[in-house]
Amino acid sequence: MYDWEELTNTCKKCKKCRLSNMRKNVVIERGNRNAPLMLIGEGPGEQEDIQGRPFVGRAGKLLDLLLDALMIKEHQYYITNIVKCRPPGNRVPSEDEAQTCLPYLRNQVFLVKPKIIVCLGATAMKYVIDRDARISQIRGCWIERKGYWMMPVFHPAALLRDESKKVLMWEDFKKVKQRLDTICQS
């Protein structure tokens, strides 16, 4: 396992998969490295690649509105992705691209030591919780594993395409907020 400096430098120099050939920036993190809540997405989009920070595009702005509305403060969360470089055209990362980056994600989980992990979307759910699960069937359900409370939810980008999912996302994140409040009080 790397410390933060080693992990950051290793990610920035990484050339292990073809995504590194097209990136402007490696997108590693945003938020508090000691947060009780970790949010994991799929991979950087165009704005994330430009700015070098996860969830700063349209989906990220929607996520920020949700977190603000539930009064989940920036010091309470840490955001990252399965892959650290943008897949072309914002496509889903391939199996080999995801597998190449997963050790970096595991290292981040080890360093942050969150109590809660929220998987934003099917790709994050697949690589963190269950390869065979369907997001529409297990979203909003708590899964306890290895001392972490995990919940898959829809990706914020899905809400931009289908507004009917906003109510479900709101309900899911209310559960996250309740669990977060309980953990922070103890």
Side-chain angles (χ1 to χ4, degrees), residues 34-179:
N34 298 305
L37 170 61
M38 178 180 269
L39 305 164
I40 302 172
E42 175 177 294
E46 181 181 21
Q47 284 304 309
E48 291 77 10
D49 188 33
I50 291 168
Q51 297 182 40
R53 299 179 68 220
F55 285 89
V56 294
R58 287 180 58 221
K61 291 185 185 346
L62 186 59
L63 178 62
D64 287 346
L65 285 172
L66 178 64
L67 295 170
D68 288 345
L70 288 167
M71 295 187 291
I72 299 174
K73 306 295 183 198
E74 193 168 352
H75 73 274
Q76 294 180 297
Y77 62 83
Y78 177 89
I79 305 176
T80 191
N81 284 304
I82 296 293
V83 296
K84 311 305 182 205
C85 299
R86 180 185 181 204
N90 293 346
R91 67 164 168 72
V92 173
S94 68
E95 179 72 19
D96 64 309
E97 292 161 352
Q99 290 297 333
T100 298
C101 264
L102 280 175
Y104 301 141
L105 177 63
R106 288 186 193 102
N107 202 145
Q108 287 172 292
V109 171
F110 174 79
L111 291 170
V112 174
K113 295 177 181 54
K115 305 288 187 234
I116 301 169
I117 297 174
V118 174
C119 294
L120 301 167
T123 300
M125 177 206 64
K126 173 183 177 179
Y127 291 105
V128 176
I129 297 175
D130 185 342
R131 299 184 69 74
D132 300 318
R134 299 192 48 86
I135 190 81
S136 57
Q137 294 172 343
I138 70 167
R139 58 131 283 276
C141 296
W142 285 112
I143 296 145
E144 196 273 329
R145 190 176 298 146
K146 296 182 182 179
Y148 301 107
W149 285 103
M150 297 185 241
M151 180 187 290
V153 301
F154 290 125
H155 193 286
L159 279 61
L160 296 172
R161 295 185 296 271
D162 180 358
E163 290 202 10
S164 69
K165 292 180 174 156
K166 286 184 177 180
V167 172
L168 299 173
M169 182 77 132
W170 177 256
E171 294 302 318
D172 294 349
F173 264 88
K174 282 186 358 189
K175 293 178 195 174
V176 172
K177 171 67 170 160
Q178 290 169 344
R179 174 99 6 139

Side-chain angles (χ1 to χ4, degrees), residues 17-23 83 85-88 91 93 97:
C17 81
R18 62 187 168 271
L19 295 181
S20 66
N21 300 329
M22 298 166 265
R23 70 179 178 226
V83 296
C85 299
R86 180 185 181 204
R91 67 164 168 72
E97 292 161 352

